[in-house]
């Protein structure tokens, strides 16, 4: 059992505040070995309602379709759909089937998990703007179908403004989930479709 | 995150997920001293604000009333007190019956303005009385780890011989 | 159209400031940290707790400290026992929002002396505070993709770089500047003398973000004392006035925003500038403390605060404009990148810095000349809020 070794630290530099600052920094070992420390492992489980608009969006994904909604007031077309336009406070109930192609608004190449464990094969999150939606209406998804693991290799194939197309799960495996789209992959020419 | 497959389209969609967190709480500067003292000496460390005439148990580094710094105002008191209030618990956290029921009390510690929650040991629920004197039952010194578990509970003073005050 | 209906009647001043150390892991509880900062703020204001009429506590999600309703839990450390007490909370923007909340209490005439405290103890959250952060992503359409909090920052930085042709070297310079500035800050957790090469040689966590372009996990607290004009003049010979406040939230659909430019920060800034009578921010603001949890954010925010042209902040930085001795010193404290990032406390630390800078008490950190007006800004929630305060010597 570690003893309380932490000594109060004081100001290092002749700068204000002129009264010494208080606090007892611990290193990792001391932190885990403190006599009075307690742990708690809560079980925080939730069941979140998907809601009206997203439920219908998910049904569409299972059929291999990307649905959007349009605001009758401002004319904005957005996906994922929402029940009301947050700018006009009007119902967004005009449903539109969109294409499954779009453009990369921005992307990243992520080499760590949320708890900062290294990832050998990076994830490529991106904001995708689906064709047919209003300008600057994007949503989060992943980019795939890209060779290589390094920043240089990936940046050679992925860039802001790149046209992409959804890669779907086989119909039998779809669940009505955002992951029914496996990822978006670069397309050479939009005219191909 | 786990997912629930939707089998019926008309069914309300529910997504299941967790918040993957755990916590490691330090006891703090005052708390650390409290637990060290409990583990080594079997007594309670307290802090006193002379101006406000408050003795904090659990101890605090500062007086919450006047903000005086109490980091140099430590004392120790015997782990005994009086039942301030109590409840008889018949079910555990998950609603399962407890047999026999547990008596949980808030015990005001003598010589302090505070107290602790603990189980009342060695007595039947019908024999508990508010203001009855109790002593803390501590884990044997070698088994103490410096946590609230070092206090097994509180027992009536008439059943156990009174603890010697340090 | 004016952003404010009418100027508030009562003026409000900061008359004292305090901090705890900022640390990766503190033995001290959140209450104890809050006490260190709050008692120091009272001490420098020359008043006692009994003089305080109301208390504002700012602290970010409960899930960091692992204490539900932690505003209430922190009450005694913040000096709030037996007083009107308010928890101000807008995520990362909370630190500056705390002083806005306190300002409202005094400007409205409700109170003359208000203590404002901010605390965060993130070390409690295991294995990483991101476990709690993850729930800011939409549970149905984002979390199944396995997101990581770094994603949204790296996505925003990349859009910013792509929109204006900015290089990562230009952004790494923020880390260099702030970690260096923090060498003179007594609370600093991650002060260092580094080069752009050191920053870019650190691991890529989520390209374009490298490890040394991210602020640390921190425990710490900050506090200030606010007073009405009459009381401030009686208690202090150098009160620092809150000349304007502003805040604004953009849509929660973060993918629907222009990620290259924080227009919500611009709106918040103009609200504060209008109240402060600032029409030409670049001439009338002499020192800035924009929010810098990630290196690029300082540049993003300088632009939102109208202190640099869109996409030009990196160039201004490279030619030394934002150095401590530059034309417009930015983050002379060392910011979150250098001093540390106990979320709400980091925002209030920026207000403390303006207080010391404008009183010309900042010692080794003092910006040259006679700074008469400064701006502090914080940012947060789902990357959607700007909280802004303009402080000045008169």
């Amino acid at each position: 059992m570690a003893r309380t070794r932490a000594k109060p630290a004081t100001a290092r530099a002749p700068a204000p505040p002129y009264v010494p600052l208080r606090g007892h920094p611990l290193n990792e070992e001391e932190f885990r070995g403190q006599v009075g420390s307690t742990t708690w492992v809560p079980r925080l489980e939730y069941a979140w309602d998907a809601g009206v608009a997203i439920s219908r969006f998910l049904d569409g994904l299972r059929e291999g379709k990307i649905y959007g909604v349009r605001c009758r007031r401002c004319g904005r077309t957005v996906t994922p759909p929402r029940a009301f336009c947050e700018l006009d406070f009007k119902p967004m109930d005009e449903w539109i089937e969109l294409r499954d192609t779009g453009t990369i608004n921005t992307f990243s190449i992520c080499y760590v998990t949320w708890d900062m464990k290294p990832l050998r094969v990076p994830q490529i999150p991106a904001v995708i703007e689906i064709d047919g939606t209003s300008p600057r209406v994007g949503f989060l998804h992943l980019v795939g179908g890209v060779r290589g693991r390094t920043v240089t290799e990936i940046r050679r194939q992925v860039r802001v403004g790149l046209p992409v197309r959804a890669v779907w799960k086989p119909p039998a495996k779809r669940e009505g989930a955002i992951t029914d789209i496996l990822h978006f992959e670069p397309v050479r020419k939009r005219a191909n479709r | 995150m786990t997912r629930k497959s939707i089998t019926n389209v008309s069914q309300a969609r529910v997504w299941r997920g967790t918040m993957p967190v755990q916590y490691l709480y330090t006891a703090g500067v005052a708390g650390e001293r409290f637990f060290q003292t409990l583990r080594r000496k079997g007594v309670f460390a307290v802090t006193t604000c002379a101006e406000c005439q408050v003795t904090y148990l659990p101890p605090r580094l500062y007086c919450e009333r006047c903000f005086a710094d109490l980091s140099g105002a430590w004392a120790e008191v015997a782990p005994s007190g009086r039942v301030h209030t109590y409840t008889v618990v018949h079910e555990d956290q998950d609603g399962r019956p407890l047999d026999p029921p547990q008596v949980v009390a808030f015990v005001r510690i003598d010589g302090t303005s505070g107290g602790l929650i603990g189980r009342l040991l060695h007595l039947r629920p019908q024999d508990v009385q508010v203001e009855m004197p109790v002593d803390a039952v501590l884990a044997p010194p070698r088994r103490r780890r410096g946590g609230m578990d070092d206090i097994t509970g509180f027992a009536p003073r008439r059943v156990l011989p009174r603890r010697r005050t340090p | 159209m004016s952003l404010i209906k009418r100027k508030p009647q009562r003026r409000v001043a900061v008359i004292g400031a305090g901090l705890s150390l900022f640390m990766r892991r503190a033995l001290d509880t959140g209450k104890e940290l809050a006490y260190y900062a709050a008692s120091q703020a009272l001490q420098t204001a020359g008043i006692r707790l009994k003089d305080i009429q109301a208390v504002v506590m700012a602290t970010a999600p409960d899930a960091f400290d692992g204490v539900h309703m932690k505003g209430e839990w922190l009450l005694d450390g913040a000096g709030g026992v037996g007083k009107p007490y308010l928890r101000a909370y807008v995520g990362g923007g909370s630190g500056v929002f705390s002083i806005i909340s306190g300002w409202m209490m005094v400007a409205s005439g409700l109170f003359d002396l208000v203590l404002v405290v901010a605390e965060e103890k993130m070390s409690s959250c295991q294995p990483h505070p991101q476990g709690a952060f993850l729930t800011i992503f939409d549970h149905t359409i984002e979390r199944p993709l396995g997101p990581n909090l770094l994603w949204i920052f790296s996505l925003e930085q990349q859009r910013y770089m792509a929109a204006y042709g900015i290089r990562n070297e230009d952004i790494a310079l923020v880390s260099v500047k702030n970690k260096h500035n923090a060498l003179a800050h007594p609370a600093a957790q991650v002060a260092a003398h580094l080069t752009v090469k050191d920053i870019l040689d650190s691991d890529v966590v989520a390209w374009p973000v490298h490890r040394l372009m991210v602020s640390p996990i921190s425990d710490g607290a900050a506090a200030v004392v606010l007073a009405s004009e009459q009381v401030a003049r009686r208690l202090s010979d150098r009160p620092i006035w809150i000349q304007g406040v502003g805040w604004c939230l953009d849509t929660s659909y973060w993918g629907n925003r222009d990620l290259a430019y924080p227009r919500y920060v611009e709106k918040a800034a103009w609200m504060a500038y209008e109240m402060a009578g600032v029409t030409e921010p670049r001439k009338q603001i002499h020192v800035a403390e924009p929010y810098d949890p990630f290196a690029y954010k300082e540049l993003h925010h300088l632009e939102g605060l109208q202190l640099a042209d869109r996409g030009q902040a990196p160039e201004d930085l490279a030619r030394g404009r934002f150095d401590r001795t530059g034309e417009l010193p930015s983050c002379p404290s060392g910011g979150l990148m250098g001093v540390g990032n106990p979320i709400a406390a980091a925002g209030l630390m920026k207000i403390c810095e303006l207080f010391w800078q404008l009183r010309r008490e900042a010692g080794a950190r003092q910006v040259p000349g006679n700074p008469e007006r400064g701006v502090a800004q914080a940012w947060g929630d789902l990357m959607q809020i700007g909280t802004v305060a303009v402080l000045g010597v008169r």
Side-chain angles (χ1 to χ4, degrees):
Chain A
M1 204 72 66
R3 294 178 47 187
T4 315
R5 280 181 300 162
K7 292 277 185 299
T10 50
R12 282 188 289 271
Y18 296 104
V19 272
L21 296 181
R22 297 172 72 179
H24 299 71
L26 302 174
N27 64 32
E28 181 72 16
E29 193 180 84
E30 289 166 339
F31 179 57
R32 304 210 173 266
Q34 287 296 306
V35 161
S37 293
T38 46
T39 54
W40 182 46
V41 183
R43 266 178 47 188
L44 303 175
E45 297 176 355
Y46 298 91
W48 294 291
D49 289 325
V52 177
I54 293 296
S55 292
R56 187 157 167 195
F57 174 68
L58 297 179
D59 288 344
L61 292 178
R62 191 171 32 209
E63 294 158 19
K65 293 173 181 168
I66 298 175
Y67 283 114
V69 287
R70 191 167 169 276
C71 174
R72 290 168 199 268
R73 171 72 64 90
C74 67
R76 221 165 40 122
T77 301
V78 303
T79 190
R82 55 204 72 163
F84 55 91
C85 175
E86 78 274 21
L87 305 181
D88 296 309
F89 243 42
K90 294 286 172 201
M92 267 189 154
D93 50 5
E94 193 184 324
W95 287 73
I96 296 163
E97 187 187 330
L98 298 162
R99 304 213 304 215
D100 67 351
T101 53
T103 308
I104 293 178
N105 171 292
T106 180
F107 70 98
S108 167
I109 309 165
C110 186
Y111 290 91
V112 291
T113 59
W114 66 269
D115 52 353
M116 301 306 275
K117 294 204 180 77
L119 277 174
R120 226 164 69 80
V121 181
Q123 292 170 295
I124 311 174
V127 173
I128 311 288
E129 293 177 4
I130 294 292
D131 292 338
T133 57
S134 300
R136 219 181 284 138
V137 169
F139 71 97
L140 180 69
H141 216 293
L142 299 162
V143 173
V146 175
R147 291 175 306 278
R149 290 174 183 172
T150 66
V151 168
T152 315
E153 287 170 316
I154 292 168
R155 285 185 66 197
R156 221 174 275 144
Q157 302 159 73
V158 183
R159 58 179 169 78
V160 170
L162 187 76
V164 288
R165 170 192 295 138
V167 177
W168 296 86
K169 273 187 186 169
K173 293 201 169 165
R174 288 184 205 145
E175 302 164 285
I178 191 71
T179 47
D180 286 351
I181 298 173
L182 290 168
H183 53 251
F184 286 81
E185 66 175 10
V187 286
R188 292 271 174 267
K189 285 201 181 82
R190 275 159 199 259
N192 285 355
R193 282 162 294 111
Chain B
M1 172 177 255
T2 55
R3 237 176 299 111
K4 184 182 171 187
S5 300
I6 304 296
T7 49
N8 178 353
V9 181
S10 65
Q11 202 181 331
R13 297 207 161 211
V14 169
W15 281 80
R16 292 185 186 279
T18 60
M19 183 142 52
V21 286
Q22 306 169 18
Y23 295 97
L24 178 60
Y25 305 103
T26 58
V29 177
E32 193 67 22
R33 178 149 171 174
F34 175 78
F35 287 122
Q36 292 274 14
T37 308
L38 178 62
R39 185 166 68 103
R40 293 203 199 122
K41 298 188 185 173
V43 297
F44 294 153
V46 297
T47 53
T48 299
C49 176
E51 195 181 324
C52 298
Q53 298 186 309
V54 178
T55 294
Y56 287 100
L57 178 89
R60 274 184 255 183
L61 266 194
Y62 51 89
C63 175
E64 68 171 30
R65 300 187 191 185
C66 72
F67 251 28
D69 189 330
L70 306 182
S71 56
W74 288 90
E76 288 167 6
V77 299
S80 35
R82 287 168 188 278
V83 172
H84 186 69
T85 182
Y86 68 96
T87 180
V88 182
V89 184
H90 293 268
E91 285 182 356
D92 71 8
Q93 284 192 79
D94 301 315
R96 285 183 291 259
L98 281 173
D99 189 27
Q102 275 178 5
V103 187
V104 175
F106 180 73
V107 177
R108 277 252 183 257
I109 301 301
D110 294 341
T112 76
S113 322
L116 296 168
I117 289 178
R119 267 181 227 142
L120 287 189
L121 310 171
H122 313 307
L123 86 175
R124 298 175 303 173
Q126 58 266 40
D127 296 334
V128 186
Q129 283 172 2
V130 166
E131 289 299 330
M132 73 188 290
V134 290
D135 286 335
V137 178
L138 302 180
R142 286 175 52 198
R143 300 251 304 272
R144 287 181 209 150
R145 294 175 306 169
M148 285 309 286
D149 292 348
D150 292 352
I151 306 169
T152 314
F154 292 86
R157 221 168 268 169
R158 62 187 157 80
V159 174
L160 287 180
R162 194 174 181 349
R163 299 186 64 87
R164 282 188 299 277
T165 43
Chain C
M1 193 186 72
S2 175
L3 289 163
I4 47 174
K5 194 160 178 205
R6 69 172 70 89
K7 284 200 181 188
Q9 301 291 307
R10 273 167 49 110
R11 301 179 72 209
V12 182
V14 183
I15 60 165
L19 293 172
S20 77
L21 284 180
F22 284 11
M23 299 159 272
R24 173 64 185 84
R25 301 166 199 85
L27 167 65
D28 320 71
T29 60
K31 290 168 183 255
E32 288 169 345
L33 294 172
Y35 168 72
Y36 298 156
S39 57
Q40 192 183 94
L42 293 177
Q43 190 189 335
T44 59
I47 58 171
R48 301 185 63 186
L49 184 61
K50 64 177 168 52
D51 303 318
I52 292 292
Q53 295 166 317
V55 176
V56 176
M57 161 53 78
T59 186
D62 293 350
F64 287 159
D65 290 46
V67 177
H68 201 49
M69 296 176 63
K70 75 170 159 160
E72 287 69 14
W73 182 74
L74 290 164
L75 176 81
D76 51 306
V81 173
K83 297 183 194 295
Y85 181 77
L86 169 79
R87 176 175 177 185
Y89 174 41
V90 284
S94 298
V96 173
F97 192 63
S98 67
I99 190 178
I100 297 176
S101 307
W103 171 87
M104 286 192 268
M105 287 181 167
V106 180
S108 65
L110 208 52
F111 304 110
D112 286 319
L113 270 171
V114 170
L115 175 62
V116 177
V117 189
E119 175 275 355
E120 220 70 58
K121 179 153 174 156
M122 300 171 73
S123 64
S124 307
C125 196
Q126 306 284 320
H128 196 283
Q130 272 215 44
F133 259 133
L134 284 177
T135 52
I136 72 171
F137 286 104
D138 184 276
H139 42 70
T140 306
I141 58 170
E142 291 177 342
R143 282 193 70 191
L145 300 169
N148 171 336
L149 192 76
L150 290 164
W151 287 14
I152 49 177
F153 302 105
S154 52
L155 291 167
E156 197 176 63
Q157 179 177 332
Q158 157 74 329
R159 183 71 193 178
Y160 178 53
M161 289 167 68
Y164 302 112
I166 295 163
R167 302 173 314 153
N168 223 3
E169 287 81 352
D170 304 330
I171 287 171
L173 207 50
V174 172
S175 301
V176 173
K177 170 177 73 74
N178 291 4
K179 286 176 183 292
H180 183 262
N181 282 355
L183 287 167
H185 198 297
Q189 178 187 338
V190 284
H193 193 76
L194 297 172
T195 63
V196 166
K197 185 172 183 303
D198 295 330
I199 307 298
L200 294 179
D201 282 349
S202 67
D203 294 342
V204 176
V205 284
W207 185 87
V209 174
H210 290 247
R211 191 172 297 276
L212 289 174
M213 296 162 115
V214 186
S215 60
I217 295 165
S218 310
D219 295 350
V224 295
V225 176
L226 303 184
S228 63
E229 180 163 16
Q230 203 186 3
V231 172
R233 292 206 188 281
R234 202 174 72 224
L235 291 175
S236 173
D237 51 359
R238 268 184 300 171
I240 297 300
W241 302 96
I242 302 177
Q243 298 180 340
V245 299
W247 73 106
C248 175
L249 280 97
D250 204 342
T251 175
S252 303
Y253 293 90
W254 63 270
N256 293 182
R257 293 199 293 261
D258 177 1
L259 297 175
Y261 181 72
R263 62 173 178 179
Y264 46 96
V265 172
E266 175 178 345
K267 270 191 121 167
W270 278 122
M271 176 180 163
Y273 291 153
E274 192 181 320
M275 205 182 295
V278 170
T279 51
E280 291 181 277
R282 285 175 220 188
K283 285 187 187 158
Q284 294 167 281
I285 298 288
H286 307 139
V287 52
E289 278 285 340
Y291 202 59
D292 60 328
F294 283 70
Y296 80 99
K297 287 306 314 187
E298 176 171 347
L299 303 167
H300 221 223
H301 291 150
L302 282 164
E303 293 173 19
L305 289 168
Q306 312 303 300
L307 299 175
D309 288 336
R310 290 194 194 188
Q312 292 302 304
E315 220 175 287
D316 290 359
L317 173 72
R319 63 178 174 82
R321 184 170 168 238
F322 302 128
D323 289 353
R324 192 183 275 143
T325 52
E327 184 191 322
L328 177 65
S330 178
C331 292
S333 64
L336 282 56
M337 294 297 305
V339 186
N341 187 10
I343 314 274
L348 195 53
M349 177 274 284
K350 288 179 171 290
I351 300 284
C352 296
E353 184 68 11
L354 289 187
F355 176 73
W356 290 313
Q357 290 287 352
L358 294 172
R359 279 163 62 113
R360 280 174 253 154
E361 289 178 345
R365 300 193 307 283
Q366 184 63 50
V367 306
N370 292 324
E372 293 192 347
R373 187 183 286 109
V375 64
Q377 173 257 340
W379 165 90
D381 280 343
L382 188 56
M383 316 198 301
Q384 72 195 123
I385 189 171
T387 49
V388 176
V390 174
L391 275 66
V393 297
R394 56 178 71 88

